[in-house]
Amino acid sequence: MPSDLNEYSMKKILQETETIVIIGCSEKKYRASYMVAEYLKGIGRRIIPVNPHTEGKVLGEKVYESINELPEELEVDVVDIFRNRIHTADTVRQVIQWAEKRGQQPVIWTQLNVSTEEAGELAGKAGLVYVKNKCILAEYQNLSKK
């Protein structure tokens, strides 16, 4: 699937997604990553926070230091990246390694102003769907209006 997703593909991703790993999920309620996680959980999606700078729980969910710490049996539909764009390509590399090791093909989702050309190319070469510079919360809200 190309990185320039059409409306049908976006709708399909959003409707079929159950589990979302949020890399860079903050415990601070004023941060966008927290607000998005709260919204996603509120509409029935399972959120898995990943942040090496946060301990304990976010919204009642255990926070993992890295994607490599996720439980083996966990099936991930989307990996949503909330990091500074200077880290995006490296984060995508980590997701690709994790996905290959686990035999999974999650959608890699980059929030607004997070995507880079290099990250998109890496995901494409790995055969992973790459959503660039889109707010997943806004996309779910747009879907609910249709």
Side-chain angles (χ1 to χ4, degrees):
M1 193 178 307
S3 61
D4 57 334
L5 300 171
N6 63 36
E7 187 176 324
Y8 171 77
S9 298
M10 181 66 70
K11 182 178 179 180
K12 183 175 165 98
I13 290 169
L14 295 172
Q15 289 177 332
E16 293 179 0
T17 291
E18 294 179 14
T19 302
I20 303 169
V21 169
I22 303 175
I23 296 180
C25 189
S26 177
E27 78 281 5
K28 297 173 181 151
K29 294 182 179 184
Y30 63 87
R31 301 294 301 257
S33 63
Y34 182 94
M35 289 182 248
V36 168
E38 184 176 45
Y39 176 84
L40 293 172
K41 189 169 182 173
I43 63 167
R45 301 305 183 262
R46 180 176 183 196
I47 60 151
I48 311 294
V50 173
N51 191 330
H53 307 293
T54 301
E55 293 181 15
K57 294 185 176 190
V58 171
L59 295 164
E61 303 295 333
K62 178 182 175 174
V63 179
Y64 294 90
E65 189 171 324
S66 79
I67 194 166
N68 293 316
E69 289 187 1
L70 298 180
E72 290 282 333
E73 68 280 358
L74 182 67
E75 291 290 324
V76 175
D77 300 305
V78 172
V79 176
D80 189 6
I81 302 173
F82 266 101
R83 297 210 56 210
N84 185 302
R85 65 185 296 126
I86 64 172
H87 302 293
T88 305
D90 285 337
T91 301
V92 168
R93 281 186 191 91
Q94 292 170 10
V95 172
I96 290 167
Q97 289 173 348
W98 172 86
E100 288 174 351
K101 183 177 170 185
R102 300 283 178 95
Q104 296 193 38
Q105 291 210 304
V107 170
I108 296 177
W109 191 294
T110 58
Q111 290 293 136
L112 299 171
N113 299 315
V114 173
S115 182
T116 66
E117 190 173 322
E118 179 184 10
E121 288 173 4
L122 289 166
K125 286 178 185 173
L128 298 176
V129 174
Y130 184 79
V131 178
K132 60 183 179 180
N133 293 325
K134 291 197 177 286
C135 176
I136 196 168
L137 183 156
E139 293 301 320
Y140 270 110
Q141 289 177 331
N142 288 338
L143 180 65
S144 69
K145 291 177 186 174
K146 295 179 182 176

